[in-house]
Amino acid sequence: MGSLKELEVVLPDDVPAELPEVDLVEAEQEAASSPRARAFLTWSKRIAIAGWVVLAGLVIWGIQSGVLSSVSQLRAFLSDFGPAAPVIYSLIGASEAIFPVVPGSASIIAAPILFGPVVGFFAAYAATCLGSIAVFFLSRDVGQELLLARFKPATVERYLGWLEHRHFTRWFAIAIALPVAPDDLLCYLAGLSKMRPRTFIIIILLLKPWALLLYVFGVLALLERWIPWLAG
């Protein structure tokens, strides 16, 4: 998941002139008056705070116990849990798309470090696909007010008009295959579009692995190149 500015390179120059203007002020007022949007924000903040407390506790425990002294020690600890460890990771990673505690890219980057390249890739793939699909259906169920509650107004204003573009599905598919795309925002937008659920799921399942492969092997290459002592 990259910056929003980087995503702009895949968008054609002539599109903005075709897009309708979005009355963002009216949309924000609608979101602010939505009980479901307010409930989402409330629970999102509560879960984020609880997540940070739990994460801080785990880091302190890991340092004191020696589990975090190296990658090999951490992997050995996780291996004691068997298949349950990557499954739990995938579920937690998927929930990050809805209730972010840490940036989604951080959880994806952690997968190959925690489980190695093969298991790490499939754990990250499962987390990304589950989270994206959950966001799509949540956005479709709650509506535009959820998008406004989740992202900054300037971000929404920049991208909301794309929902009316006739090639939205095509550009969504291209962006999803790129490692720099803001996945969560794109999936929220897709939930508000006319895209069929089956089309969305196929795009996610078939195109997301390529960006994840770059993440997984890129992280391992950087780890080996710059901090090889950590892997020992």
Side-chain angles (χ1 to χ4, degrees), residues 162-163 165-176 190 193-196 199-200 203 207:
W162 281 93
L163 293 175
H165 191 261
R166 62 183 184 276
H167 297 310
F168 173 80
T169 299
R170 179 188 303 174
W171 292 112
F172 171 81
I174 293 173
I176 282 296
S193 72
K194 299 177 181 179
M195 190 186 306
R196 292 183 298 176
T199 301
F200 174 85
I203 289 174
L207 298 182

Side-chain angles (χ1 to χ4, degrees), residues 28-213:
E28 286 186 83
Q29 292 174 348
E30 179 183 351
S33 62
S34 170
R36 303 179 75 179
R38 291 200 304 270
F40 173 83
L41 280 178
T42 299
W43 279 104
S44 181
K45 292 177 181 178
R46 291 175 179 175
I47 292 175
I49 293 172
W52 275 111
V53 171
V54 171
L55 182 61
L58 289 174
V59 170
I60 293 173
W61 172 84
I63 294 174
Q64 293 178 342
S65 65
V67 170
L68 294 180
S69 60
S70 69
V71 172
S72 58
Q73 289 285 348
L74 179 57
R75 289 179 180 172
F77 171 76
L78 292 174
S79 67
D80 292 338
F81 295 92
V87 170
I88 293 173
Y89 161 86
S90 297
L91 294 175
I92 294 176
S95 69
E96 285 286 331
I98 302 175
F99 300 108
V101 176
V102 297
S105 57
S107 59
I108 298 302
I109 289 172
I113 298 176
L114 296 176
F115 305 109
V118 177
V119 177
F121 167 76
F122 284 105
Y125 177 61
T128 301
C129 291
L130 289 173
S132 298
I133 293 171
V135 162
F136 176 86
F137 284 105
L138 181 63
S139 179
R140 178 150 296 187
D141 179 60
V142 177
Q144 181 175 297
E145 62 268 20
L146 181 60
L147 179 72
L148 291 159
R150 175 71 170 76
F151 298 97
K152 295 179 180 179
T155 301
V156 175
E157 185 175 20
R158 177 177 296 181
Y159 290 96
L160 192 60
W162 281 93
L163 293 175
E164 302 299 327
H165 191 261
R166 62 183 184 276
H167 297 310
F168 173 80
T169 299
R170 179 188 303 174
W171 292 112
F172 171 81
I174 293 173
I176 282 296
L178 300 175
V180 298
D183 289 4
D184 293 347
L185 172 60
L186 289 172
C187 293
Y188 274 101
L189 285 173
L192 298 176
S193 72
K194 299 177 181 179
M195 190 186 306
R196 292 183 298 176
R198 182 177 64 179
T199 301
F200 174 85
I201 293 173
I202 290 174
I203 289 174
I204 294 296
L205 294 179
L206 294 184
L207 298 182
K208 199 57 203 170
W210 309 110
L212 291 176
L213 284 173

